[in-house]
Each structure stands twice: as structure tokens, then as C-alpha cells.
Amino acid sequence: MSLHELLGKMQCRGDEEKVTFGELLNVMEKRGFGPMLAAPAFICSTPIGAIPGIPTVTGITIFLISLQVLLARNHPWLPSAIRDIGINRDSLNRGIGKAKPAVTHVDKLLMPRWFFMRQFIFRSLIALSCAICGLMMVPLELVPFLGLVPAVAIFIMAVGMATDDGAVALLGLSIAILGIVMGGQQLISLMS
């Protein structure tokens, strides 16, 4: 699946003003856990992520999906409180529309490679990093746009998983680990 196709799947058609997380994730579930992680990470990476509550909801969603990857679940489960949260359909579609031209250029760089990243140990490491980053997004919501950093790292890892591009997944994993280390240092310095 290309990144352009992934965003196309996220674009919502219909008459209703809002689309729920559950509807988005149902579309993504058929494509595996990579797209399911990419959807909330993308939402938080756009201006929609500045809306109060969105980084927390997307972070918890990412955390729960990542845990299920670690537990090797076949079908993801999310609480109905998260599945029923609505996002403005027009805002989501506008954000996707603005991203699509850039994504077309990025797609040219994505290709199936470094298949060793498909192995259980690497998938588990990516899932663990996504889970930690998802949890980090909750307190980072207090500082506007700071939740963007872990969301982008998760999005890169998820795109790597969705497109079977191990190099991209490893890049996202490196960004996530760097962010976790830097965030940990900040917490330690604040506590002392």
C-alpha cells in the first residue's frame, strides 16, 4: 500500500458532519496494524492535533493498538468511548487534501526493503516504541503542538510497517527512541 492510498482510505465520504475514530479504524483494520497506527498519528500530526483532547485520545488509541501488536492479537479492540469520538469530516478531508501532493513525492522514495524489520522482535520493538510515544502524547498535550513530535515518529514507523519499507520503519524507530531518551532526560531534570 502506498502512502497516497493510505490517505485515500482515510478520506471520508458521506453526508454526516463528523466521522468517528471507529469508522476510520474499521477501514484501516483490513490493511493491518501499520495503517491503524498511522491513522491516529496522522490526525495528531495535522492542525486537528491542536484541538484540546485530540492528542490524548490519539495517544491512548495508539497505546492500545500498540499493546495489541505486542500481544499478537489478530483483531484490534478499542473501548467504545474512543471508537465513538467524532472528528469533523471536512477538517479531516482538508488536512488529507493538503498532504496528498507532498505524499505523492514521498511515495517515490518508499519501497519494500529491509524485510528483517518484519520479524517479531523488530515488530515488537516498534510496537513498544509506539506505545511509549502514545503515552507521552497525553502529558505533552499541555504544551501546544509538542505532541506533534511523538505523533510524527509513530506516523513514520506506521508508514514503514504499512508499506513494508524497513528503512522508513527504522528511521521512525530511531526518532522515537531519540525522543524517548530526550523526554526522559527532561523528566529527570524536572524532578531533581
Side-chain angles (χ1 to χ4, degrees):
M1 173 188 284
S2 71
L3 194 51
H4 194 269
E5 289 172 327
L6 178 65
L7 290 181
K9 295 273 183 201
M10 286 177 61
Q11 270 188 314
C12 301
R13 291 154 190 84
D15 299 329
E16 295 180 25
E17 185 179 322
K18 297 207 179 262
V19 60
T20 65
F21 271 123
E23 291 171 330
L24 277 176
L25 293 176
N26 284 341
V27 170
M28 296 294 128
E29 181 182 357
K30 297 173 185 134
R31 305 303 249 165
F33 281 101
M36 287 190 67
L37 288 168
F42 175 79
I43 289 168
C44 195
S45 300
T46 65
I48 296 171
I51 298 170
I54 294 294
T56 296
V57 170
T58 55
I60 291 170
T61 302
I62 289 165
F63 174 74
L64 291 173
I65 292 170
S66 300
L67 276 182
Q68 293 173 62
V69 172
L70 284 170
L71 297 172
R73 297 271 314 257
N74 291 331
H75 300 287
W77 170 88
L78 288 174
S80 60
I82 291 177
R83 292 185 75 80
D84 294 340
I85 292 174
I87 304 166
N88 185 289
R89 183 181 304 270
D90 291 335
S91 296
L92 179 64
N93 287 341
R94 251 192 326 272
I96 291 171
K98 287 180 182 177
K100 272 190 170 181
V103 163
T104 304
H105 297 295
V106 172
D107 268 339
K108 294 175 185 171
L109 304 172
L110 298 173
M111 65 185 80
R113 58 184 155 191
W114 293 10
F115 294 112
F116 68 88
M117 293 297 289
R118 283 185 185 171
Q119 294 177 358
F120 178 76
I121 187 79
F122 292 108
R123 286 180 53 87
S124 297
L125 186 59
I126 289 171
L128 182 62
S129 298
C130 286
I132 293 169
C133 286
L135 283 179
M136 287 174 55
M137 289 166 64
V138 175
L140 290 178
E141 179 178 357
L142 299 174
V143 181
F145 295 107
L146 201 53
L148 177 73
V149 176
V152 168
I154 293 165
F155 184 68
I156 293 170
M157 286 185 280
V159 165
M161 289 172 69
T163 60
D164 276 337
D165 194 332
V168 172
L170 191 58
L171 172 66
L173 183 60
S174 302
I175 293 169
I177 291 172
L178 181 66
I180 291 167
V181 169
M182 291 174 67
Q185 288 175 339
Q186 289 294 96
L187 279 174
I188 291 170
S189 67
L190 287 174
M191 291 177 156
S192 53

